[in-house]
Amino acid sequence: MTSLMLLRQDGLLEEYRLRGTPIARPAAVPTFNRIAYAAAHVVSDPLRDADPWDNPAIDWEATMAFRHHLWGLGFKIAEAMDTAQRGMGLAWPAAQELIRRSLVEARSVPGADLACGAGTDHLPPAEARSIEDVIAAYEEQIGFVEGEGGRAIMMASRALARVAQSADDYRRVYGHILRQAKDKVVLHWLGDMFDPQLKGYWGSENFEEALETVLSIIDENSAKVEGIKISLLDNAKEVALRKGLPEGVLCFTGDDFNYAELIEGDGAKYSHALLGIFDAVAPSASKALAALASGDLATFRGVIEPTVPLSRKIFEAPTQYYKAGVVFLAWLNGHQRHFTLPAGLQSARGLLHYADVFRLADQANVLDKPELAAARMRNLLAVLGVEQGG
């Protein structure tokens, strides 16, 4: 049995013996009865990274290969989203290249599908002077996505959060953009635990008031709204949104703490999914969703529920640094040769965090290649001064 010495929370070492069983890949691309978007990360290229903070190099081959991995497991891809480090290492020019490449790649894969994040991140919030500036920024990015033949996910805007004076400003911006969109758009409600600059989004820090505003926007523009992703890490708030949506508008859970129960539903309604954690636990999520589609709730719960403690660890506060844990697992599982992120974001979490993620990933059967994962974990420990000994 594979074992290694891991740090405990008290800083001492203890032997850890791996006991997980890797999830077998499906013989064919599975089908689900929930729409399931995996928000995918990008792979940096440390061999070409001369300016990783301000202009990180991307390994496009490995980045596209990871998207094939997700498509092969039945997922749609939410491209160029928060998980790809939009606004935290991936600037708009690189996001454009990512969107362009992914759309071309998707056309080469039967059944592959994706939607692309469009926001205002090329407009620094401090430089936004008016609502018109925000509208123009959204128009530029959504216009690019549509011009490349893609569908847009309308990401929350730091600039809008800064300049908006009331809920009516949100209604004005979203109404203007949705009315001129070519296709239906997915909206995105991202909580300030993911991005502190979004505090008070929709014009209020009070959830009920914010909910009233976003529902009014959707009601007024329902013909142009496919659905809304909600990422507040509070299942009661998501259920309240889900209940209030008009017929035909979908709720996509972005709750990386409570996704299992929200996807399963309450017997009356359920959530579809647009999740960053699906990047990290794709084989498990795929098997669970396929089981749910076949009516096998026992397998669904048995496979997906063990991933929830892992996800809660990866997304623990400060939540915006969850990308480090996602890429850590991609490295452990052999999807990339190195453990680096754009902007050097691997440094955003400490070794104790990574040790806990390693244990929980093993216990959730998320380590696809246990021997490789253990070897790479030993290497990380050694680089950070923790030798394994004899």
Side-chain angles (χ1 to χ4, degrees):
M1 183 180 292
T2 302
S3 68
L4 71 164
M5 301 300 292
L6 284 182
L7 282 172
R8 304 186 316 203
Q9 285 296 317
D10 60 10
L12 298 177
L13 287 171
E14 67 176 2
E15 183 181 24
Y16 180 78
R17 294 183 178 273
L18 278 74
R19 57 180 184 269
T21 302
I23 301 291
R25 294 297 188 274
V29 178
T31 57
F32 308 145
N33 62 353
R34 305 287 190 267
I35 298 171
Y37 284 96
H41 75 282
V42 297
V43 182
S44 65
D45 187 349
L47 303 184
R48 296 190 302 111
D49 231 342
D51 188 10
W53 278 18
D54 297 320
N55 187 28
I58 304 299
D59 182 337
W60 293 114
E61 182 177 354
T63 295
M64 291 300 110
F66 193 77
R67 280 134 183 82
H68 282 273
H69 160 70
L70 294 172
W71 283 322
L73 290 167
F75 293 102
K76 300 175 185 290
I77 291 175
E79 189 55 279
M81 298 291 290
D82 190 54
T83 307
Q85 291 179 245
R86 287 291 292 275
M88 290 184 69
L90 191 77
W92 175 232
Q96 288 176 288
E97 183 68 12
L98 176 62
I99 289 166
R100 185 183 295 113
R101 286 175 179 264
S102 291
L103 286 168
V104 170
E105 204 74 21
R107 295 181 190 115
S108 72
V109 179
D113 194 13
L114 75 163
C116 305
T120 67
D121 51 315
H122 63 292
L123 173 65
E127 295 180 14
R129 297 288 181 263
S130 66
I131 293 300
E132 287 72 22
D133 289 344
V134 176
I135 289 173
Y138 267 129
E139 287 178 333
E140 178 178 338
Q141 292 204 12
I142 292 180
F144 173 81
V145 170
E146 293 181 339
E148 294 293 321
R151 295 178 293 107
I153 299 170
M154 191 173 175
M155 300 173 68
S157 168
R158 292 172 176 173
L160 178 55
R162 181 181 181 276
V163 302
Q165 299 297 309
S166 69
D168 286 340
D169 286 334
Y170 287 87
R171 293 187 181 95
R172 178 181 168 194
V173 170
Y174 278 82
H176 181 95
I177 296 299
L178 290 170
R179 282 192 297 272
Q180 66 185 27
K182 290 182 181 178
D183 298 310
K184 286 190 173 184
V185 172
V186 175
L187 305 184
H188 191 191
W189 187 348
L190 191 67
D192 59 10
M193 69 289 293
F194 285 92
D195 187 341
Q197 294 186 62
L198 298 178
K199 192 175 184 66
Y201 211 73
W202 308 116
S204 177
E205 295 182 26
N206 177 276
F207 170 73
E208 286 73 19
E209 292 176 358
L211 178 64
E212 181 181 355
T213 298
V214 73
L215 287 175
S216 71
I217 291 169
I218 293 171
D219 283 337
E220 292 165 10
N221 302 277
S222 59
K224 288 294 186 72
V225 179
E226 176 186 353
I228 179 169
K229 172 191 173 176
I230 179 169
S231 302
L232 299 183
L233 304 183
D234 184 326
N235 56 350
K237 291 177 179 177
E238 180 168 324
V239 168
L241 171 67
R242 197 167 70 187
K243 287 180 178 177
L245 290 174
E247 189 70 26
V249 176
L250 307 178
C251 181
F252 292 93
T253 186
D255 187 336
D256 299 278
F257 282 8
N258 304 293
Y259 52 91
E261 61 189 88
L262 290 162
I263 292 169
E264 181 176 334
D266 56 16
K269 292 191 175 184
Y270 55 79
S271 296
H272 298 278
L274 197 165
L275 287 162
I277 193 58
F278 279 178
D279 179 299
V281 302
S284 295
S286 174
K287 181 177 180 179
L289 289 166
L292 182 64
S294 69
D296 185 354
L297 279 177
T299 297
F300 170 77
R301 293 168 180 165
V303 173
I304 205 165
E305 287 177 357
T307 70
V308 173
L310 168 65
S311 186
R312 291 181 175 179
K313 169 56 65 171
I314 290 173
F315 284 80
E316 70 181 355
T319 301
Q320 65 266 33
Y321 299 128
Y322 75 87
K323 298 93 169 176
V326 167
V327 174
F328 175 61
L329 287 175
W331 174 59
L332 292 182
N333 285 328
H335 294 292
Q336 53 192 79
R337 299 186 307 273
H338 56 82
F339 180 36
T340 62
L341 281 79
L345 201 66
Q346 68 276 4
S347 65
R349 299 292 201 189
L351 188 53
L352 292 174
H353 175 86
Y354 292 126
D356 284 344
V357 169
F358 184 93
R359 291 185 188 92
L360 290 167
D362 173 53
Q363 293 160 20
N365 302 314
V366 167
L367 297 181
D368 296 337
K369 301 174 181 177
E371 293 285 350
L372 175 66
R376 290 187 165 182
M377 189 68 201
R378 291 188 197 100
N379 288 340
L380 178 63
L381 288 160
V383 166
L384 296 179
V386 180
E387 299 291 344
Q388 294 293 298

